[in-house]
Amino acid sequence: MARPDKAAAVAELTELFRGSSAAVLTEYRGLTVAQLKALRTALGADAHYAVAKNTLTAIAAREAGLEGFAEKLAGPSAIAFVTGDPVNAAKGLRDFAKANPALVVKAGVLDGKEITPAEITALADLESREVLLAKAVGAMKAKLYQAAYLFTAPASQAVRTIDALREKQADAA
């Protein structure tokens, strides 16, 4: 029979898996407590970095429907549960891993789909959501201006042609 504290830990991890938009599995072997605190700060307010036992995490991942994630649990593992923008958390992990090579990204889950460490790095290389939205709005605005120019071009060309004919008739008279 399972102990109540372990059952509670599994339930909490399952809720974290279900409630997060992304989860990144890391190996933290060789990091000090101060470095882990710095990592939690680097991840931002929208991420929760948790160190848990592999067996409990595997049970919670299976209960949350993440079979492949549970298979990657080996060695000292910790999980970054991201509730906000996954790009910011991926950037925080990437930057921290550059400064501290002891942190190894093993796997991840983004919106229920498993992702590789290379995909997490690619996610970190994306610009922030606000920048991408601003670029999209700018592109749409440029297309609207281009459409407005195309719609007014025939009318303005007709006006220039009529004006040129009027000047030609004035010179001829």
Side-chain angles (χ1 to χ4, degrees):
M1 185 172 264
R3 292 191 347 216
D5 57 335
K6 288 186 178 184
V10 168
E12 181 183 352
L13 287 170
T14 304
E15 283 305 310
L16 284 171
F17 274 118
R18 288 183 181 152
S20 60
S21 60
V24 181
L25 179 66
T26 63
E27 183 177 319
Y28 64 94
R29 184 181 321 212
L31 293 177
T32 64
V33 173
Q35 288 172 324
L36 287 175
K37 186 176 178 182
L39 173 59
R40 286 183 173 98
T41 304
L43 288 174
D46 293 334
H48 174 71
Y49 192 71
V51 176
K53 292 186 176 252
N54 289 342
T55 53
L56 300 180
T57 305
I59 294 168
R62 284 190 191 96
E63 285 182 9
L66 306 171
E67 290 295 327
F69 194 78
E71 296 169 2
K72 307 250 188 317
L73 291 164
S77 300
I79 304 151
F81 296 101
V82 183
T83 55
D85 189 12
V87 174
N88 291 336
K91 284 182 183 187
L93 281 170
R94 178 197 60 192
D95 295 342
F96 188 84
K98 281 182 184 177
N100 301 291
L103 181 74
V104 177
V105 176
K106 294 193 218 179
V109 175
L110 179 63
D111 294 327
K113 179 186 170 272
E114 291 183 35
I115 55 176
T116 64
E119 291 172 323
I120 295 170
T121 304
L123 186 65
D125 293 337
L126 284 177
E127 293 170 334
S128 69
R129 184 178 195 280
E130 291 79 19
V131 171
L132 291 174
L133 287 174
K135 284 185 176 184
V137 168
M140 286 188 269
K141 186 177 176 182
K143 289 296 179 185
L144 287 174
Y145 279 127
Q146 186 180 22
Y149 176 75
L150 286 174
F151 291 137
T152 60
S156 62
Q157 186 178 12
V159 168
R160 286 192 299 271
T161 304
I162 293 170
D163 193 38
L165 285 173
R166 189 174 346 129
E167 285 180 19
K168 187 177 180 182
Q169 285 181 346
D171 288 344

PDB file of all heavy atoms in Angstrom, residues 125-165:
ATOM      1  N   ASP A 125      15.690  30.020 -29.158  1.00  0.00           N
ATOM      2  CA  ASP A 125      16.182  30.966 -30.148  1.00  0.00           C
ATOM      3  C   ASP A 125      15.076  31.819 -30.748  1.00  0.00           C
ATOM      4  O   ASP A 125      15.360  32.799 -31.443  1.00  0.00           O
ATOM      5  CB  ASP A 125      16.928  30.226 -31.268  1.00  0.00           C
ATOM      6  CG  ASP A 125      18.218  29.592 -30.768  1.00  0.00           C
ATOM      7  OD1 ASP A 125      18.742  30.062 -29.731  1.00  0.00           O
ATOM      8  OD2 ASP A 125      18.700  28.634 -31.398  1.00  0.00           O
ATOM      9  N   LEU A 126      13.817  31.455 -30.490  1.00  0.00           N
ATOM     10  CA  LEU A 126      12.703  32.270 -30.972  1.00  0.00           C
ATOM     11  C   LEU A 126      12.674  33.601 -30.244  1.00  0.00           C
ATOM     12  O   LEU A 126      13.126  33.718 -29.109  1.00  0.00           O
ATOM     13  CB  LEU A 126      11.370  31.564 -30.713  1.00  0.00           C
ATOM     14  CG  LEU A 126      10.974  30.421 -31.610  1.00  0.00           C
ATOM     15  CD1 LEU A 126       9.659  29.827 -31.128  1.00  0.00           C
ATOM     16  CD2 LEU A 126      10.828  30.879 -33.044  1.00  0.00           C
ATOM     17  N   GLU A 127      12.107  34.577 -30.914  1.00  0.00           N
ATOM     18  CA  GLU A 127      11.915  35.860 -30.247  1.00  0.00           C
ATOM     19  C   GLU A 127      10.702  35.748 -29.336  1.00  0.00           C
ATOM     20  O   GLU A 127       9.889  34.828 -29.475  1.00  0.00           O
ATOM     21  CB  GLU A 127      11.725  36.948 -31.299  1.00  0.00           C
ATOM     22  CG  GLU A 127      12.989  37.164 -32.109  1.00  0.00           C
ATOM     23  CD  GLU A 127      12.766  38.061 -33.302  1.00  0.00           C
ATOM     24  OE1 GLU A 127      11.637  38.121 -33.797  1.00  0.00           O
ATOM     25  OE2 GLU A 127      13.730  38.687 -33.727  1.00  0.00           O
ATOM     26  N   SER A 128      10.542  36.701 -28.452  1.00  0.00           N
ATOM     27  CA  SER A 128       9.439  36.636 -27.500  1.00  0.00           C
ATOM     28  C   SER A 128       8.100  36.790 -28.226  1.00  0.00           C
ATOM     29  O   SER A 128       8.027  37.241 -29.363  1.00  0.00           O
ATOM     30  CB  SER A 128       9.579  37.723 -26.437  1.00  0.00           C
ATOM     31  OG  SER A 128       9.370  38.983 -27.021  1.00  0.00           O
ATOM     32  N   ARG A 129       7.051  36.419 -27.543  1.00  0.00           N
ATOM     33  CA  ARG A 129       5.703  36.454 -28.120  1.00  0.00           C
ATOM     34  C   ARG A 129       5.341  37.867 -28.564  1.00  0.00           C
ATOM     35  O   ARG A 129       4.756  38.063 -29.625  1.00  0.00           O
ATOM     36  CB  ARG A 129       4.716  35.942 -27.063  1.00  0.00           C
ATOM     37  CG  ARG A 129       3.294  35.830 -27.528  1.00  0.00           C
ATOM     38  CD  ARG A 129       2.430  35.270 -26.383  1.00  0.00           C
ATOM     39  NE  ARG A 129       1.143  34.811 -26.802  1.00  0.00           N
ATOM     40  CZ  ARG A 129       0.098  35.592 -27.028  1.00  0.00           C
ATOM     41  NH1 ARG A 129       0.220  36.887 -26.894  1.00  0.00           N
ATOM     42  NH2 ARG A 129      -1.062  35.088 -27.393  1.00  0.00           N
ATOM     43  N   GLU A 130       5.691  38.849 -27.759  1.00  0.00           N
ATOM     44  CA  GLU A 130       5.356  40.229 -28.075  1.00  0.00           C
ATOM     45  C   GLU A 130       6.050  40.687 -29.361  1.00  0.00           C
ATOM     46  O   GLU A 130       5.460  41.362 -30.192  1.00  0.00           O
ATOM     47  CB  GLU A 130       5.735  41.161 -26.914  1.00  0.00           C
ATOM     48  CG  GLU A 130       4.891  40.988 -25.670  1.00  0.00           C
ATOM     49  CD  GLU A 130       5.286  39.781 -24.831  1.00  0.00           C
ATOM     50  OE1 GLU A 130       6.422  39.278 -24.991  1.00  0.00           O
ATOM     51  OE2 GLU A 130       4.452  39.313 -24.038  1.00  0.00           O
ATOM     52  N   VAL A 131       7.320  40.305 -29.516  1.00  0.00           N
ATOM     53  CA  VAL A 131       8.068  40.692 -30.712  1.00  0.00           C
ATOM     54  C   VAL A 131       7.474  40.020 -31.945  1.00  0.00           C
ATOM     55  O   VAL A 131       7.306  40.646 -32.993  1.00  0.00           O
ATOM     56  CB  VAL A 131       9.568  40.346 -30.559  1.00  0.00           C
ATOM     57  CG1 VAL A 131      10.323  40.536 -31.860  1.00  0.00           C
ATOM     58  CG2 VAL A 131      10.189  41.189 -29.465  1.00  0.00           C
ATOM     59  N   LEU A 132       7.138  38.735 -31.829  1.00  0.00           N
ATOM     60  CA  LEU A 132       6.541  38.024 -32.963  1.00  0.00           C
ATOM     61  C   LEU A 132       5.186  38.617 -33.338  1.00  0.00           C
ATOM     62  O   LEU A 132       4.871  38.760 -34.525  1.00  0.00           O
ATOM     63  CB  LEU A 132       6.407  36.537 -32.646  1.00  0.00           C
ATOM     64  CG  LEU A 132       7.720  35.767 -32.550  1.00  0.00           C
ATOM     65  CD1 LEU A 132       7.451  34.338 -32.091  1.00  0.00           C
ATOM     66  CD2 LEU A 132       8.454  35.767 -33.868  1.00  0.00           C
ATOM     67  N   LEU A 133       4.373  38.980 -32.337  1.00  0.00           N
ATOM     68  CA  LEU A 133       3.082  39.614 -32.623  1.00  0.00           C
ATOM     69  C   LEU A 133       3.273  40.974 -33.284  1.00  0.00           C
ATOM     70  O   LEU A 133       2.545  41.329 -34.217  1.00  0.00           O
ATOM     71  CB  LEU A 133       2.267  39.759 -31.340  1.00  0.00           C
ATOM     72  CG  LEU A 133       1.677  38.469 -30.779  1.00  0.00           C
ATOM     73  CD1 LEU A 133       1.023  38.730 -29.428  1.00  0.00           C
ATOM     74  CD2 LEU A 133       0.680  37.870 -31.742  1.00  0.00           C
ATOM     75  N   ALA A 134       4.263  41.739 -32.819  1.00  0.00           N
ATOM     76  CA  ALA A 134       4.527  43.048 -33.421  1.00  0.00           C
ATOM     77  C   ALA A 134       4.975  42.898 -34.877  1.00  0.00           C
ATOM     78  O   ALA A 134       4.558  43.675 -35.746  1.00  0.00           O
ATOM     79  CB  ALA A 134       5.592  43.782 -32.617  1.00  0.00           C
ATOM     80  N   LYS A 135       5.791  41.903 -35.153  1.00  0.00           N
ATOM     81  CA  LYS A 135       6.217  41.667 -36.539  1.00  0.00           C
ATOM     82  C   LYS A 135       5.037  41.261 -37.416  1.00  0.00           C
ATOM     83  O   LYS A 135       4.930  41.698 -38.563  1.00  0.00           O
ATOM     84  CB  LYS A 135       7.303  40.591 -36.590  1.00  0.00           C
ATOM     85  CG  LYS A 135       8.654  41.091 -36.142  1.00  0.00           C
ATOM     86  CD  LYS A 135       9.703  40.023 -36.322  1.00  0.00           C
ATOM     87  CE  LYS A 135      11.078  40.555 -35.957  1.00  0.00           C
ATOM     88  NZ  LYS A 135      12.129  39.579 -36.207  1.00  0.00           N
ATOM     89  N   ALA A 136       4.152  40.427 -36.877  1.00  0.00           N
ATOM     90  CA  ALA A 136       2.977  40.003 -37.646  1.00  0.00           C
ATOM     91  C   ALA A 136       2.067  41.196 -37.942  1.00  0.00           C
ATOM     92  O   ALA A 136       1.569  41.354 -39.061  1.00  0.00           O
ATOM     93  CB  ALA A 136       2.215  38.924 -36.895  1.00  0.00           C
ATOM     94  N   VAL A 137       1.858  42.039 -36.942  1.00  0.00           N
ATOM     95  CA  VAL A 137       1.026  43.229 -37.136  1.00  0.00           C
ATOM     96  C   VAL A 137       1.678  44.166 -38.156  1.00  0.00           C
ATOM     97  O   VAL A 137       1.003  44.731 -39.021  1.00  0.00           O
ATOM     98  CB  VAL A 137       0.780  43.947 -35.797  1.00  0.00           C
ATOM     99  CG1 VAL A 137       0.179  45.320 -35.990  1.00  0.00           C
ATOM    100  CG2 VAL A 137      -0.119  43.092 -34.917  1.00  0.00           C
ATOM    101  N   GLY A 138       2.991  44.329 -38.078  1.00  0.00           N
ATOM    102  CA  GLY A 138       3.693  45.173 -39.045  1.00  0.00           C
ATOM    103  C   GLY A 138       3.573  44.643 -40.456  1.00  0.00           C
ATOM    104  O   GLY A 138       3.382  45.406 -41.410  1.00  0.00           O
ATOM    105  N   ALA A 139       3.656  43.325 -40.615  1.00  0.00           N
ATOM    106  CA  ALA A 139       3.520  42.728 -41.949  1.00  0.00           C
ATOM    107  C   ALA A 139       2.104  42.926 -42.481  1.00  0.00           C
ATOM    108  O   ALA A 139       1.915  43.233 -43.667  1.00  0.00           O
ATOM    109  CB  ALA A 139       3.863  41.250 -41.892  1.00  0.00           C
ATOM    110  N   MET A 140       1.105  42.763 -41.605  1.00  0.00           N
ATOM    111  CA  MET A 140      -0.284  42.975 -42.043  1.00  0.00           C
ATOM    112  C   MET A 140      -0.525  44.435 -42.416  1.00  0.00           C
ATOM    113  O   MET A 140      -1.203  44.735 -43.395  1.00  0.00           O
ATOM    114  CB  MET A 140      -1.251  42.542 -40.944  1.00  0.00           C
ATOM    115  CG  MET A 140      -1.370  41.047 -40.805  1.00  0.00           C
ATOM    116  SD  MET A 140      -2.661  40.561 -39.665  1.00  0.00           S
ATOM    117  CE  MET A 140      -1.733  40.463 -38.154  1.00  0.00           C
ATOM    118  N   LYS A 141       0.045  45.336 -41.635  1.00  0.00           N
ATOM    119  CA  LYS A 141      -0.122  46.764 -41.908  1.00  0.00           C
ATOM    120  C   LYS A 141       0.528  47.118 -43.244  1.00  0.00           C
ATOM    121  O   LYS A 141      -0.030  47.877 -44.030  1.00  0.00           O
ATOM    122  CB  LYS A 141       0.499  47.577 -40.773  1.00  0.00           C
ATOM    123  CG  LYS A 141       0.272  49.055 -40.876  1.00  0.00           C
ATOM    124  CD  LYS A 141       0.851  49.762 -39.664  1.00  0.00           C
ATOM    125  CE  LYS A 141       0.727  51.256 -39.794  1.00  0.00           C
ATOM    126  NZ  LYS A 141       1.329  51.955 -38.665  1.00  0.00           N
ATOM    127  N   ALA A 142       1.694  46.555 -43.518  1.00  0.00           N
ATOM    128  CA  ALA A 142       2.369  46.815 -44.790  1.00  0.00           C
ATOM    129  C   ALA A 142       1.526  46.307 -45.952  1.00  0.00           C
ATOM    130  O   ALA A 142       1.425  46.970 -46.999  1.00  0.00           O
ATOM    131  CB  ALA A 142       3.743  46.159 -44.794  1.00  0.00           C
ATOM    132  N   LYS A 143       0.913  45.148 -45.798  1.00  0.00           N
ATOM    133  CA  LYS A 143       0.055  44.607 -46.859  1.00  0.00           C
ATOM    134  C   LYS A 143      -1.175  45.486 -47.074  1.00  0.00           C
ATOM    135  O   LYS A 143      -1.618  45.675 -48.212  1.00  0.00           O
ATOM    136  CB  LYS A 143      -0.373  43.172 -46.535  1.00  0.00           C
ATOM    137  CG  LYS A 143       0.750  42.175 -46.636  1.00  0.00           C
ATOM    138  CD  LYS A 143       1.251  42.071 -48.055  1.00  0.00           C
ATOM    139  CE  LYS A 143       2.392  41.093 -48.157  1.00  0.00           C
ATOM    140  NZ  LYS A 143       2.974  41.063 -49.477  1.00  0.00           N
ATOM    141  N   LEU A 144      -1.719  46.046 -45.999  1.00  0.00           N
ATOM    142  CA  LEU A 144      -2.863  46.949 -46.148  1.00  0.00           C
ATOM    143  C   LEU A 144      -2.472  48.222 -46.892  1.00  0.00           C
ATOM    144  O   LEU A 144      -3.211  48.699 -47.756  1.00  0.00           O
ATOM    145  CB  LEU A 144      -3.450  47.285 -44.772  1.00  0.00           C
ATOM    146  CG  LEU A 144      -4.224  46.165 -44.090  1.00  0.00           C
ATOM    147  CD1 LEU A 144      -4.629  46.584 -42.683  1.00  0.00           C
ATOM    148  CD2 LEU A 144      -5.444  45.786 -44.898  1.00  0.00           C
ATOM    149  N   TYR A 145      -1.313  48.779 -46.563  1.00  0.00           N
ATOM    150  CA  TYR A 145      -0.841  49.966 -47.278  1.00  0.00           C
ATOM    151  C   TYR A 145      -0.597  49.645 -48.749  1.00  0.00           C
ATOM    152  O   TYR A 145      -0.919  50.437 -49.634  1.00  0.00           O
ATOM    153  CB  TYR A 145       0.440  50.516 -46.649  1.00  0.00           C
ATOM    154  CG  TYR A 145       0.204  51.358 -45.429  1.00  0.00           C
ATOM    155  CD1 TYR A 145       0.865  51.095 -44.243  1.00  0.00           C
ATOM    156  CD2 TYR A 145      -0.676  52.431 -45.445  1.00  0.00           C
ATOM    157  CE1 TYR A 145       0.652  51.850 -43.116  1.00  0.00           C
ATOM    158  CE2 TYR A 145      -0.897  53.205 -44.329  1.00  0.00           C
ATOM    159  CZ  TYR A 145      -0.228  52.908 -43.164  1.00  0.00           C
ATOM    160  OH  TYR A 145      -0.442  53.670 -42.050  1.00  0.00           O
ATOM    161  N   GLN A 146      -0.045  48.469 -49.006  1.00  0.00           N
ATOM    162  CA  GLN A 146       0.218  48.055 -50.383  1.00  0.00           C
ATOM    163  C   GLN A 146      -1.108  47.900 -51.142  1.00  0.00           C
ATOM    164  O   GLN A 146      -1.217  48.339 -52.294  1.00  0.00           O
ATOM    165  CB  GLN A 146       0.989  46.740 -50.388  1.00  0.00           C
ATOM    166  CG  GLN A 146       1.435  46.278 -51.755  1.00  0.00           C
ATOM    167  CD  GLN A 146       2.204  44.965 -51.682  1.00  0.00           C
ATOM    168  OE1 GLN A 146       2.061  44.208 -50.724  1.00  0.00           O
ATOM    169  NE2 GLN A 146       3.010  44.712 -52.687  1.00  0.00           N
ATOM    170  N   ALA A 147      -2.113  47.322 -50.507  1.00  0.00           N
ATOM    171  CA  ALA A 147      -3.420  47.172 -51.142  1.00  0.00           C
ATOM    172  C   ALA A 147      -4.057  48.536 -51.397  1.00  0.00           C
ATOM    173  O   ALA A 147      -4.634  48.772 -52.475  1.00  0.00           O
ATOM    174  CB  ALA A 147      -4.333  46.309 -50.284  1.00  0.00           C
ATOM    175  N   ALA A 148      -3.956  49.439 -50.430  1.00  0.00           N
ATOM    176  CA  ALA A 148      -4.512  50.782 -50.612  1.00  0.00           C
ATOM    177  C   ALA A 148      -3.826  51.491 -51.774  1.00  0.00           C
ATOM    178  O   ALA A 148      -4.486  52.171 -52.576  1.00  0.00           O
ATOM    179  CB  ALA A 148      -4.363  51.589 -49.327  1.00  0.00           C
ATOM    180  N   TYR A 149      -2.517  51.328 -51.894  1.00  0.00           N
ATOM    181  CA  TYR A 149      -1.788  51.944 -53.009  1.00  0.00           C
ATOM    182  C   TYR A 149      -2.248  51.358 -54.343  1.00  0.00           C
ATOM    183  O   TYR A 149      -2.446  52.086 -55.313  1.00  0.00           O
ATOM    184  CB  TYR A 149      -0.280  51.735 -52.834  1.00  0.00           C
ATOM    185  CG  TYR A 149       0.524  52.251 -53.992  1.00  0.00           C
ATOM    186  CD1 TYR A 149       0.730  53.612 -54.163  1.00  0.00           C
ATOM    187  CD2 TYR A 149       1.049  51.374 -54.932  1.00  0.00           C
ATOM    188  CE1 TYR A 149       1.449  54.089 -55.245  1.00  0.00           C
ATOM    189  CE2 TYR A 149       1.768  51.835 -56.014  1.00  0.00           C
ATOM    190  CZ  TYR A 149       1.969  53.201 -56.170  1.00  0.00           C
ATOM    191  OH  TYR A 149       2.667  53.669 -57.247  1.00  0.00           O
ATOM    192  N   LEU A 150      -2.432  50.040 -54.394  1.00  0.00           N
ATOM    193  CA  LEU A 150      -2.866  49.396 -55.638  1.00  0.00           C
ATOM    194  C   LEU A 150      -4.268  49.847 -56.041  1.00  0.00           C
ATOM    195  O   LEU A 150      -4.549  50.001 -57.226  1.00  0.00           O
ATOM    196  CB  LEU A 150      -2.825  47.879 -55.498  1.00  0.00           C
ATOM    197  CG  LEU A 150      -1.443  47.246 -55.508  1.00  0.00           C
ATOM    198  CD1 LEU A 150      -1.545  45.755 -55.211  1.00  0.00           C
ATOM    199  CD2 LEU A 150      -0.750  47.460 -56.835  1.00  0.00           C
ATOM    200  N   PHE A 151      -5.136  50.066 -55.057  1.00  0.00           N
ATOM    201  CA  PHE A 151      -6.493  50.507 -55.376  1.00  0.00           C
ATOM    202  C   PHE A 151      -6.527  51.961 -55.831  1.00  0.00           C
ATOM    203  O   PHE A 151      -7.370  52.335 -56.642  1.00  0.00           O
ATOM    204  CB  PHE A 151      -7.428  50.317 -54.180  1.00  0.00           C
ATOM    205  CG  PHE A 151      -7.707  48.877 -53.864  1.00  0.00           C
ATOM    206  CD1 PHE A 151      -7.714  48.429 -52.556  1.00  0.00           C
ATOM    207  CD2 PHE A 151      -7.959  47.955 -54.864  1.00  0.00           C
ATOM    208  CE1 PHE A 151      -7.969  47.099 -52.257  1.00  0.00           C
ATOM    209  CE2 PHE A 151      -8.215  46.625 -54.580  1.00  0.00           C
ATOM    210  CZ  PHE A 151      -8.217  46.190 -53.269  1.00  0.00           C
ATOM    211  N   THR A 152      -5.637  52.798 -55.330  1.00  0.00           N
ATOM    212  CA  THR A 152      -5.632  54.212 -55.715  1.00  0.00           C
ATOM    213  C   THR A 152      -4.749  54.487 -56.926  1.00  0.00           C
ATOM    214  O   THR A 152      -4.845  55.559 -57.519  1.00  0.00           O
ATOM    215  CB  THR A 152      -5.162  55.087 -54.544  1.00  0.00           C
ATOM    216  OG1 THR A 152      -3.845  54.697 -54.164  1.00  0.00           O
ATOM    217  CG2 THR A 152      -6.114  54.976 -53.365  1.00  0.00           C
ATOM    218  N   ALA A 153      -3.908  53.541 -57.309  1.00  0.00           N
ATOM    219  CA  ALA A 153      -2.986  53.759 -58.425  1.00  0.00           C
ATOM    220  C   ALA A 153      -3.709  54.048 -59.739  1.00  0.00           C
ATOM    221  O   ALA A 153      -3.339  55.010 -60.440  1.00  0.00           O
ATOM    222  CB  ALA A 153      -2.035  52.581 -58.573  1.00  0.00           C
ATOM    223  N   PRO A 154      -4.726  53.305 -60.157  1.00  0.00           N
ATOM    224  CA  PRO A 154      -5.381  53.622 -61.438  1.00  0.00           C
ATOM    225  C   PRO A 154      -6.024  55.011 -61.448  1.00  0.00           C
ATOM    226  O   PRO A 154      -5.950  55.728 -62.448  1.00  0.00           O
ATOM    227  CB  PRO A 154      -6.445  52.529 -61.577  1.00  0.00           C
ATOM    228  CG  PRO A 154      -5.971  51.407 -60.729  1.00  0.00           C
ATOM    229  CD  PRO A 154      -5.222  52.053 -59.617  1.00  0.00           C
ATOM    230  N   ALA A 155      -6.628  55.404 -60.338  1.00  0.00           N
ATOM    231  CA  ALA A 155      -7.258  56.717 -60.279  1.00  0.00           C
ATOM    232  C   ALA A 155      -6.214  57.819 -60.374  1.00  0.00           C
ATOM    233  O   ALA A 155      -6.393  58.806 -61.118  1.00  0.00           O
ATOM    234  CB  ALA A 155      -8.064  56.857 -58.999  1.00  0.00           C
ATOM    235  N   SER A 156      -5.099  57.680 -59.653  1.00  0.00           N
ATOM    236  CA  SER A 156      -4.070  58.725 -59.709  1.00  0.00           C
ATOM    237  C   SER A 156      -3.392  58.741 -61.084  1.00  0.00           C
ATOM    238  O   SER A 156      -3.022  59.806 -61.588  1.00  0.00           O
ATOM    239  CB  SER A 156      -3.039  58.522 -58.600  1.00  0.00           C
ATOM    240  OG  SER A 156      -2.373  57.293 -58.756  1.00  0.00           O
ATOM    241  N   GLN A 157      -3.259  57.591 -61.725  1.00  0.00           N
ATOM    242  CA  GLN A 157      -2.678  57.544 -63.065  1.00  0.00           C
ATOM    243  C   GLN A 157      -3.614  58.233 -64.062  1.00  0.00           C
ATOM    244  O   GLN A 157      -3.161  58.970 -64.948  1.00  0.00           O
ATOM    245  CB  GLN A 157      -2.430  56.098 -63.475  1.00  0.00           C
ATOM    246  CG  GLN A 157      -1.697  55.966 -64.800  1.00  0.00           C
ATOM    247  CD  GLN A 157      -1.415  54.515 -65.153  1.00  0.00           C
ATOM    248  OE1 GLN A 157      -1.950  53.615 -64.530  1.00  0.00           O
ATOM    249  NE2 GLN A 157      -0.583  54.320 -66.147  1.00  0.00           N
ATOM    250  N   ALA A 158      -4.919  58.039 -63.901  1.00  0.00           N
ATOM    251  CA  ALA A 158      -5.887  58.701 -64.780  1.00  0.00           C
ATOM    252  C   ALA A 158      -5.821  60.210 -64.586  1.00  0.00           C
ATOM    253  O   ALA A 158      -5.866  60.983 -65.563  1.00  0.00           O
ATOM    254  CB  ALA A 158      -7.290  58.182 -64.498  1.00  0.00           C
ATOM    255  N   VAL A 159      -5.681  60.670 -63.362  1.00  0.00           N
ATOM    256  CA  VAL A 159      -5.586  62.119 -63.086  1.00  0.00           C
ATOM    257  C   VAL A 159      -4.328  62.694 -63.730  1.00  0.00           C
ATOM    258  O   VAL A 159      -4.367  63.769 -64.344  1.00  0.00           O
ATOM    259  CB  VAL A 159      -5.616  62.368 -61.564  1.00  0.00           C
ATOM    260  CG1 VAL A 159      -5.239  63.794 -61.234  1.00  0.00           C
ATOM    261  CG2 VAL A 159      -6.984  62.038 -61.007  1.00  0.00           C
ATOM    262  N   ARG A 160      -3.209  61.987 -63.622  1.00  0.00           N
ATOM    263  CA  ARG A 160      -1.970  62.484 -64.245  1.00  0.00           C
ATOM    264  C   ARG A 160      -2.088  62.514 -65.761  1.00  0.00           C
ATOM    265  O   ARG A 160      -1.601  63.446 -66.412  1.00  0.00           O
ATOM    266  CB  ARG A 160      -0.789  61.600 -63.814  1.00  0.00           C
ATOM    267  CG  ARG A 160      -0.342  61.833 -62.389  1.00  0.00           C
ATOM    268  CD  ARG A 160       0.999  61.167 -62.092  1.00  0.00           C
ATOM    269  NE  ARG A 160       0.979  59.722 -62.245  1.00  0.00           N
ATOM    270  CZ  ARG A 160       0.664  58.863 -61.287  1.00  0.00           C
ATOM    271  NH1 ARG A 160       0.343  59.327 -60.093  1.00  0.00           N
ATOM    272  NH2 ARG A 160       0.672  57.569 -61.499  1.00  0.00           N
ATOM    273  N   THR A 161      -2.750  61.532 -66.345  1.00  0.00           N
ATOM    274  CA  THR A 161      -2.929  61.501 -67.799  1.00  0.00           C
ATOM    275  C   THR A 161      -3.817  62.653 -68.256  1.00  0.00           C
ATOM    276  O   THR A 161      -3.510  63.345 -69.235  1.00  0.00           O
ATOM    277  CB  THR A 161      -3.541  60.148 -68.233  1.00  0.00           C
ATOM    278  OG1 THR A 161      -2.710  59.096 -67.769  1.00  0.00           O
ATOM    279  CG2 THR A 161      -3.670  60.061 -69.746  1.00  0.00           C
ATOM    280  N   ILE A 162      -4.900  62.894 -67.549  1.00  0.00           N
ATOM    281  CA  ILE A 162      -5.801  64.001 -67.896  1.00  0.00           C
ATOM    282  C   ILE A 162      -5.082  65.332 -67.747  1.00  0.00           C
ATOM    283  O   ILE A 162      -5.232  66.242 -68.590  1.00  0.00           O
ATOM    284  CB  ILE A 162      -7.080  63.943 -67.040  1.00  0.00           C
ATOM    285  CG1 ILE A 162      -7.902  62.705 -67.419  1.00  0.00           C
ATOM    286  CG2 ILE A 162      -7.906  65.212 -67.164  1.00  0.00           C
ATOM    287  CD1 ILE A 162      -9.050  62.411 -66.488  1.00  0.00           C
ATOM    288  N   ASP A 163      -4.288  65.482 -66.690  1.00  0.00           N
ATOM    289  CA  ASP A 163      -3.527  66.714 -66.472  1.00  0.00           C
ATOM    290  C   ASP A 163      -2.512  66.928 -67.593  1.00  0.00           C
ATOM    291  O   ASP A 163      -2.334  68.052 -68.076  1.00  0.00           O
ATOM    292  CB  ASP A 163      -2.830  66.655 -65.113  1.00  0.00           C
ATOM    293  CG  ASP A 163      -2.282  68.004 -64.692  1.00  0.00           C
ATOM    294  OD1 ASP A 163      -2.963  69.028 -64.951  1.00  0.00           O
ATOM    295  OD2 ASP A 163      -1.187  68.030 -64.097  1.00  0.00           O
ATOM    296  N   ALA A 164      -1.850  65.845 -68.023  1.00  0.00           N
ATOM    297  CA  ALA A 164      -0.884  65.960 -69.122  1.00  0.00           C
ATOM    298  C   ALA A 164      -1.607  66.346 -70.415  1.00  0.00           C
ATOM    299  O   ALA A 164      -1.086  67.172 -71.187  1.00  0.00           O
ATOM    300  CB  ALA A 164      -0.126  64.652 -69.294  1.00  0.00           C
ATOM    301  N   LEU A 165      -2.779  65.812 -70.695  1.00  0.00           N
ATOM    302  CA  LEU A 165      -3.547  66.178 -71.887  1.00  0.00           C
ATOM    303  C   LEU A 165      -3.987  67.641 -71.837  1.00  0.00           C
ATOM    304  O   LEU A 165      -3.947  68.353 -72.856  1.00  0.00           O
ATOM    305  CB  LEU A 165      -4.779  65.263 -72.026  1.00  0.00           C
ATOM    306  CG  LEU A 165      -4.506  63.847 -72.516  1.00  0.00           C
ATOM    307  CD1 LEU A 165      -5.765  63.006 -72.448  1.00  0.00           C
ATOM    308  CD2 LEU A 165      -3.962  63.864 -73.944  1.00  0.00           C
TER     309      LEU A 165
END
